[in-house]
Amino acid sequence: MSAMEELRVSFDRRPLGFYVNNGRRLLQKHEKLQLRALSSACGMACTAASQLEAGEWARVESIQTIVADPKEGRDKRLSGILIVLSRGTKYEEEVPVPPKAAAAAKEASEE
């Protein structure tokens, strides 16, 4: 399991809720998350990051602009954004304790 996962945001393919929910799921498994978007998807990436931060699921660590080289056959370069998020305080509060671990902790405290 790597420390940072990447989520590429597309403007046309998925709704905003898809990226917010996937961001939450990825932050459960990984410490950090990169939201990467090009061109018209930059606004959606910023909105997803702000919703994750407003819900205390993530903290924005850095925001960078990027320039992507064109693919073959294209003349112009594309601008983009890279947002690095880290886990928010919500995960610290809502970490479920497995039943076996809870029972073992209860037995240890009774002894």
Side-chain angles (χ1 to χ4, degrees):
M1 180 168 32
S2 66
M4 185 163 334
E5 187 68 23
E6 182 179 345
L7 181 60
R8 293 182 182 236
V9 179
S10 171
F11 184 72
D12 296 333
R13 296 188 183 147
R14 305 275 184 195
L16 177 64
F18 172 82
Y19 297 108
V20 174
N21 289 333
N22 273 352
R24 285 175 50 190
R25 287 187 191 114
L26 289 171
L27 283 168
Q28 284 178 344
K29 297 176 184 176
H30 304 279
E31 293 292 323
K32 293 187 179 185
L33 171 67
Q34 285 184 352
L35 291 178
R36 211 178 258 272
L38 294 176
S39 188
S40 58
C42 292
M44 187 172 288
C46 291
T47 305
S50 67
Q51 285 189 5
L52 286 167
E53 189 173 38
E56 296 180 0
W57 296 104
R59 288 186 295 270
V60 175
E61 286 195 358
S62 68
I63 300 173
Q64 299 174 353
T65 57
I66 54 175
V67 178
D69 290 328
K71 294 181 182 178
E72 290 184 29
R74 290 188 183 173
D75 292 333
K76 64 180 188 174
R77 295 166 48 155
L78 298 172
S79 61
I81 194 164
L82 172 67
I83 303 170
V84 178
L85 303 168
S86 61
R87 273 190 195 163
T89 57
K90 205 96 172 205
Y91 291 106
E92 296 166 3
E93 298 168 1
E94 297 187 10
V95 174
V97 178
K100 289 183 181 179
K106 186 177 179 182
E107 288 175 11
S109 66
E110 290 176 356
E111 292 177 355

